[in-house]
Amino acid sequence: MEHKRYTPHLLYQRRRKEHLREQWRNFKLVVDWTVWLYLLIPGLLYFVGWFTSLWTKPMPAWATGLSFPFLAGIIELVILTGGVLLFVEEADVLFLKSRRFWMRTLMKRGLLRVLWLQLGKMMFITALAAPLLVRVYEMSVYQIVLTSIWLGAAASFQVIAIHTIKVRYTGWRCWLLMGLLVISMGWTTIRASTWMLGETWKIGLSITVVSLLLVALMQLRLFMKGTFEGDVREDLRTRLRLTALMLSQAVSKPKAQKTHTIVFRKSRPLLRKRSIPNRTAEIGFKAFFRNSATLKLYLQLGGLSLAAVALPPFPVNVIVCGLLVIMLTLMLYRSWDELATSEYVELVVNYDSDALHGAGLIMVRMLLLPLVMLMGYAMGLTWLGWLAGLLPAVCTLVFAYVVVSVTGWIRQTRA
């Protein structure tokens, strides 16, 4: 039996298959397919219905008022998520580094892989934005196809240029050059996309220019010397990027001990009355914001809550606001329960259940009422205007005060 001659192309194919197999193995290890099946199918059906409505129904106000530079800026952010994988390994220094043809073949196949991946990604993004491009910006199908090719070539150029800086420089020089490059290329992409909007010959000219620049950059990258260590470092980082992202959702990262907090660095009193419930509520309030995890969750939920009450029409926004107030109240009471069961708090209040209840009530109000007031004003701002929006803010504040009091009374009776 005659054995197949081992070539650089076969080496590239083997390493590419091993990489895909490893990523798939890690993906199956982390993802629960049963949960994703229940989430993916309804989400996919909802997306198909929403995407179809963009073609068949009148365009929403946010779509008709969306400027093309803003849309191009969003696409530019998607472009910056790409990376280059050349499939160069540490052991290649023993054999492949001395064979220029093998190394350049691996790099050439890796750069062509980047080109096809970016082109496919930009075609997919352009297909998603097709209702806007056709119905809002009045582009033809032919112009949309050419625009996707232009975006694919521009994305490939940006990704390879950023990778070239990463493998060539380290430290502050790398970050400085990369920042300048990202800003300049992003600005150029947005301006060029806006300039050629609806003009077929401009799109063709842009494709020609960026293709020539891309070929020149790929040739420069292939013949660049002294970047083997950088290529290995960036390849390893790119291969482990997806694995690190998935594991970050399943395994908590150990945090370094901090001697200083961002907020409440000095122990100053927040409440004038220095009773045991007030002092305990201050402890819980400060501990809530000093913990980066709870602070991040509080800010995320606050931002989502503001959007959830500002976007829907009346009376849906009122119903959503009421449900969010109840949900946030229960969540904050649960955070208080974690603090109330700690040894330090039990020692401070001397196991007094009434004092614990009063402290929890005060802490939840301190955390909830400012956020609820912003939610009510955001709802009123989009519904009634900036001045009349103060009325829903006051009503929401009173409702939240009642919810916290009633929830606290129920908790006390059940204790």
Side-chain angles (χ1 to χ4, degrees), residues 248-355:
S248 65
Q249 306 300 319
V251 181
S252 59
K253 181 180 179 180
K255 297 182 179 180
Q257 296 293 330
K258 295 182 179 180
T259 57
H260 298 284
T261 59
I262 300 177
V263 294
F264 299 119
R265 292 189 175 186
K266 297 182 180 180
S267 183
R268 295 176 179 175
L270 301 178
L271 301 175
R272 180 173 299 178
K273 188 177 179 181
R274 306 310 296 162
S275 61
I276 291 180
N278 284 6
R279 285 185 291 173
T280 310
E282 285 185 5
I283 293 173
F285 185 81
K286 293 178 180 179
F288 186 91
F289 284 104
R290 284 170 176 169
N291 189 344
S292 59
T294 54
L295 176 60
K296 181 180 179 181
L297 180 62
Y298 183 81
L299 295 177
Q300 289 176 345
L301 289 178
L304 292 176
S305 300
L306 292 176
V309 299
L311 296 178
F314 177 82
V316 179
N317 53 359
V318 178
I319 299 174
V320 172
C321 184
L323 295 176
L324 284 174
V325 169
I326 298 174
M327 183 198 72
L328 291 172
T329 302
L330 297 177
M331 186 201 73
L332 293 176
Y333 267 119
R334 187 171 300 176
S335 298
W336 162 253
D337 289 336
E338 295 179 1
L339 179 68
T341 55
S342 63
E343 297 179 356
Y344 176 72
V345 172
E346 290 179 352
L347 179 63
V348 169
V349 299
N350 198 19
Y351 300 99
D352 189 349
S353 60
D354 293 335

Side-chain angles (χ1 to χ4, degrees), residues 44-57:
L44 185 61
L45 293 176
Y46 175 79
F47 174 77
V48 171
W50 175 76
F51 187 77
T52 305
S53 67
L54 293 179
W55 288 102
T56 57
K57 297 180 180 180

